[in-house]
Amino acid sequence: MTIGSIPKLIDKAVIDVGSNSIRLVIFRTHDTFFQPIFNEKITASLGRGVMQSGCLNPKGIKLANTAITRFMRILKARDITDIHAVATAAVRDAKDGKQFLQNIKAKTGLVVQMLNGEQEARLSALGVIAGEPAAEGVMADLGGSSLELVEIANGKVGQGSTHKLGPLALAVETESNVKNTKAKIIKSLEGMKITGTAQTLYAVGGAWRSLALVHMELRGYPLHILHNYHMSRREAKMLTRLVEKQSPASLAKIPGVSAKRAQNLPYAAFLLRKILSKTKVREVVISSFGLREGLLFDDLPSGVSSRHPTLASVEALAHQNWSSAEFGQAVELWLEPVFAYFKPVFGKSRTDLLQTAICRLADIGARMHPDHRAEISFNLALYAPFAGLSHKERVALALAIYHRYAGTGTPPSTTLIMRIIDEDMRAWATAIGLGLRCASAVSARTASLLQRTSLFIDKGTIMLDAKKEDSLLLTSAPGRRLRDLADALGLQAQLIE
């Protein structure tokens, strides 16, 4: 994005006709940024009984027709014409699936694409890549009727396979013989085609997310964000063995786990454990991005889809909060001496990415109440729908934004911060935040004024230079903030007028 350009935010819709639920998600998009702003689902259980009767659940058909009629009225009222509608395993497996989609078209005008197993797997894997461009490993997407396993490497979708292992396909809720169900799982996974090189399993789907919620609760994890939540192989196997032994009633007591989801969690736990036993992955990573995000990502031009989602995200968030694009980019150049002072705490490329993202948010709290903007901005950055960030990177970004507004104050959620990022990361984030604060004081958050000054470090001193008439910019407020930055770096401060 060039200095002065304004992100164009476009609303797009996805209607997902799944085996268990019919869902409408409206996304506010900007390049590779996909922010859900409306999410509604109807549990229709279309796939219930398909494996036995060959036909879609009749009650589910009625519910689906009602839901899609409502969804289309919502989209018309919101003037959204960019609509992606797909149907997955239950519809493609049912002998009346094509007729069901033809009836939807006749009643609502909506054309729903029936995805084959390969297409569904590919789009779900693209969703994982959209959520984490650096993803390397294998994706496991568990839906109501099927399980897709796909290899991901170098931003590309590789070999994959589809298995009829969803809880509806195996009639898990009505199957009285647990041993029989487990035998079906083991037999189906015999044909699993995944190479032995995958180190990470990217888990997609509500069942896996619910398992992660159980793990968060068990360990008292303070940051309740599922996307990019990590479990080691050992942790995941211990979790699955524990959940397999629990009753649905006890699992439903976990915050965020619905009673309906709890019914199938022991099954999902056993399935995950068996997948782990068939691979050599070292960790399980939860991806909140999947088929729906993959549809949007697949529709982007190649030049746009290559943009890192974190940068697209911060630009969109900054724009929605009336932030100055020019100032964010100018302060990134201005702070280069501070960036160079630290060793890359997240590795060179990731640290560079995060520094850019933080600077794009330098003005994020401009129109918030001054008494609360530090804490509001911290929470906004911490819980924003950013893709492509680890939990550590997310917390560091939020901490930097807090210090940009609060100076040397004590941040909120100190226990969360201390548990998730180490001392070096905290020092780095604090210094960058104080650097943003100093830049704001010097320039009144104006790029052209900031560019009339320069910052540099030499012989244990950080110096702020403004020549000739621009020295008028260096009043007492910039001086105080420069001293705060210098203290954070362990340096002396000097204004050069």
Side-chain angles (χ1 to χ4, degrees):
M1 184 177 77
T2 57
I3 290 181
S5 66
I6 299 175
K8 186 176 181 181
L9 302 178
I10 302 170
D11 287 355
K12 302 178 181 181
V14 175
I15 296 177
D16 182 358
V17 182
S19 302
N20 190 48
S21 63
I22 315 297
R23 187 183 294 269
L24 165 66
V25 183
I26 298 174
F27 293 89
R28 183 147 292 162
T29 73
H30 162 56
D31 293 348
T32 49
F33 169 66
F34 309 130
Q35 179 185 16
I37 60 171
F38 180 85
N39 190 329
E40 180 174 301
K41 76 170 182 177
I42 302 295
T43 301
S45 299
L46 278 171
R48 178 170 288 129
V50 168
M51 296 299 290
Q52 292 74 33
S53 69
C55 295
L56 295 170
N57 174 12
K59 291 183 179 179
I61 290 176
K62 292 181 180 179
L63 289 170
N65 285 329
T66 300
I68 292 172
T69 300
R70 169 178 161 78
F71 293 165
M72 293 303 290
R73 289 184 180 179
I74 291 170
L75 295 176
K76 183 178 180 180
R78 298 182 71 130
D79 197 26
I80 296 174
T81 57
D82 194 334
I83 305 169
H84 303 257
V86 293
T88 54
V91 176
R92 69 171 173 260
D93 290 341
K95 58 188 178 184
D96 58 347
K98 289 184 179 179
Q99 185 62 51
F100 166 68
L101 297 186
Q102 289 171 1
N103 291 341
I104 288 176
K105 181 181 178 182
K107 291 177 181 178
T108 68
L110 178 68
V111 177
V112 182
Q113 180 188 3
M114 184 191 297
L115 300 177
N116 61 37
E118 182 179 345
Q119 290 171 321
E120 183 179 356
R122 174 181 170 273
L123 288 167
S124 293
L126 282 177
V128 171
I129 293 169
E132 179 46 78
E136 297 274 343
V138 59
M139 178 212 71
D141 182 359
L142 179 60
S145 292
S146 65
L147 168 72
E148 279 70 47
L149 294 166
V150 185
E151 292 183 79
I152 301 170
N154 301 315
K156 305 292 183 183
V157 176
Q159 182 180 7
S161 58
T162 299
H163 306 262
K164 296 185 186 303
L165 284 174
L168 289 176
L170 295 185
V172 171
E173 293 180 8
T174 58
E175 174 65 72
S176 59
N177 190 336
V178 176
K179 288 184 179 180
N180 186 43
T181 299
K182 290 183 176 181
K184 290 179 182 178
I185 292 173
I186 293 169
K187 183 176 180 180
S188 180
L189 290 179
E190 288 176 356
M192 189 172 76
K193 298 177 182 179
I194 297 295
T195 65
T197 59
Q199 299 295 303
T200 302
L201 180 75
Y202 293 91
V204 176
W208 304 142
R209 291 195 295 272
S210 291
L211 284 176
L213 286 172
V214 175
H215 192 252
M216 283 182 172
E217 183 71 13
L218 289 172
R219 64 183 290 211
Y221 189 72
L223 182 58
H224 283 206
I225 293 176
L226 287 168
H227 187 61
N228 266 341
Y229 180 73
H230 287 236
M231 293 182 284
S232 69
R233 179 187 180 91
R234 180 173 177 272
E235 288 175 326
K237 294 195 83 168
M238 290 178 64
L239 173 67
T240 57
R241 289 186 182 278
L242 174 66
V243 171
E244 283 177 56
K245 299 175 183 178
Q246 303 303 307
S247 69
S250 65
L251 292 169
K253 295 177 181 178
I254 303 294
V257 178
S258 68
K260 187 168 184 61
R261 183 70 71 187
Q263 290 288 331
N264 295 326
L265 269 194
Y267 163 81
F270 178 81
L271 178 57
L272 179 57
R273 183 161 62 84
K274 288 304 174 183
I275 294 171
L276 291 174
S277 70
K278 297 281 286 186
T279 67
K280 296 181 180 179
V281 298
R282 295 182 177 180
E283 63 176 352
V284 175
V285 176
I286 301 299
S287 174
S288 294
F289 284 52
L291 173 66
R292 292 181 285 274
E293 290 79 10
L295 279 164
L296 299 179
F297 186 77
D298 193 40
D299 196 46
L300 294 175
S302 58
V304 175
S305 63
S306 61
R307 288 210 68 207
H308 199 284
T310 299
L311 298 183
S313 298
V314 296
E315 287 173 4
L317 182 65
H319 172 65
Q320 290 178 85
N321 287 275
W322 307 286
S323 296
S324 164
E326 297 93 334
F327 179 65
Q329 294 180 60
V331 78
E332 183 180 0
L333 295 174
W334 194 79
L335 280 176
E336 281 186 354
V338 175
F339 299 154
Y341 186 78
F342 288 92
K343 292 181 180 179
V345 291
F346 295 102
K348 181 65 168 63
S349 62
R350 300 295 297 188
T351 302
D352 288 347
L353 171 71
L354 203 54
Q355 287 167 175
T356 299
I358 292 169
C359 290
R360 293 295 189 274
L361 297 175
D363 206 19
I364 194 69
R367 298 197 182 186
M368 297 174 188
H369 192 287
D371 292 345
H372 306 287
R373 63 165 56 113
E375 188 167 351
I376 292 172
S377 298
F378 172 83
N379 285 317
L380 183 61
L382 184 64
Y383 296 108
F386 295 144
L389 287 180
S390 70
H391 282 202
K392 290 180 184 293
E393 292 166 340
R394 178 182 288 272
V395 171
L397 183 152
L399 182 60
I401 296 303
Y402 172 80
H403 285 296
R404 179 261 178 270
Y405 287 106
T408 58
T410 302
S413 305
T414 53
T415 300
L416 181 154
I417 293 168
M418 297 288 284
R419 278 195 61 180
I420 294 180
I421 59 175
D422 63 29
E423 184 177 352
D424 289 342
M425 295 172 184
R426 295 195 297 272
W428 172 84
T430 300
I432 292 178
L434 293 173
L436 296 178
R437 186 169 175 80
C438 182
S440 300
V442 170
S443 64
R445 309 196 312 274
T446 306
S448 60
L449 292 180
L450 186 65
Q451 291 162 350
R452 295 174 180 270
T453 69
S454 60
L455 197 68
F456 58 97
I457 297 173
D458 185 46
K459 297 179 181 179
T461 302
I462 183 167
M463 290 166 270
L464 178 55
D465 188 10
K467 298 179 180 178
K468 297 182 179 179
E469 70 275 8
D470 294 326
S471 62
L472 295 173
L473 297 173
L474 306 185
T475 59
S476 59
R480 289 195 303 272
R481 294 187 180 184
L482 181 67
R483 287 193 293 275
D484 287 341
L485 174 59
D487 288 344
L489 298 173
L491 301 172
Q492 298 296 313
Q494 182 181 350
L495 295 177
I496 301 176
E497 302 179 23

